[in-house]
Amino acid sequence: MNHKFIGIAAVILIAAQVAIGIHLYRDNDRIPQHQGKTFTGNTINIYDSREGYLTVVNFWASSCLPCIKEMPDFVQLHNDYKKHKFALVGITMPFDQADLSLALLKRLEIPWHNVLDPKGEHLKYFGGIKAVPTTFLLDDEGRTLWKHEGPVDFGILRQQINRHLATNG
């Protein structure tokens, strides 16, 4: 058999598998709407389902130095986009101590909702979180538009937000 033909066939099969994998990933990459209890005792939807809204969901912990380091940048992001179709929600990790997280939120004067996740229920909805911080950008139907594990490059996150706000009003 011709080796060139086998090589071409292998490349086509690999490309087809990658395309199918990407398609399946996108179809299954929708976070179901669910609610969480905030540190203030309120119950909120995890993402804003009003038409055209974007929600940044940030998983963090008070024991995570990169999480704490990026919070002032999240404050700036919140302030810059709060007049747009935009929301920001923080979710603490199950291993985090609620009293330490609350103290940090108060000390840094964090203006967005932060949800407790002592049983790891929210982790399951997001497919499990391997590292903190982990940040998602969701559309109004819960589709993941962008995901990043580790400290956020806020320039890239802003580009993603601007791109989606421009196309959705």
Side-chain angles (χ1 to χ4, degrees):
M1 200 172 222
N2 185 342
H3 291 288
K4 189 175 182 179
F5 173 77
I6 293 172
I8 292 171
V11 168
I12 291 170
L13 285 173
I14 291 169
Q17 287 177 332
V18 168
I20 289 168
I22 290 170
H23 176 72
L24 292 174
Y25 176 76
R26 287 183 180 158
D27 283 350
N28 293 325
D29 203 19
R30 185 171 289 175
I31 309 301
Q33 184 59 275
H34 59 286
Q35 296 182 327
K37 187 165 285 275
T38 68
F39 281 87
T40 58
N42 296 324
T43 300
I44 64 161
N45 288 330
I46 295 302
Y47 61 86
D48 197 322
S49 59
R50 291 179 287 177
E51 186 175 341
Y53 270 76
L54 298 175
T55 303
V56 169
V57 177
N58 176 250
F59 285 87
W60 66 280
S62 63
S63 59
C64 166
L65 292 179
C67 298
I68 297 167
K69 185 177 178 186
E70 69 183 7
M71 282 198 175
D73 291 317
F74 274 118
V75 170
Q76 189 62 52
L77 186 81
H78 169 80
N79 291 339
D80 290 347
Y81 288 97
K82 66 183 177 185
K83 293 184 180 177
H84 298 275
K85 293 181 174 182
F86 177 81
L88 180 58
V89 174
I91 301 177
T92 61
M93 296 299 289
F95 60 81
D96 210 5
Q97 296 178 14
D99 58 336
L100 296 177
S101 297
L102 181 57
L104 181 67
L105 293 171
K106 285 182 178 180
R107 182 170 57 87
L108 296 176
E109 299 178 3
I110 301 302
W112 59 87
H113 292 296
N114 276 272
V115 173
L116 296 162
D117 194 15
K119 296 179 182 175
E121 295 167 356
H122 300 292
L123 295 178
K124 293 175 192 169
Y125 287 114
F126 283 83
I129 302 298
K130 297 175 186 137
V132 286
T134 295
T135 305
F136 292 80
L137 177 62
L138 305 176
D139 70 6
D140 56 5
E141 294 182 7
R143 287 185 293 246
T144 300
L145 303 173
W146 182 81
K147 176 186 175 185
H148 183 76
E149 293 178 353
V152 170
D153 178 327
F154 283 88
I156 292 172
L157 178 54
R158 286 174 181 274
Q159 287 174 351
Q160 292 293 320
I161 293 168
N162 290 337
R163 187 176 105 219
H164 292 289
L165 283 176
T167 59
N168 294 317

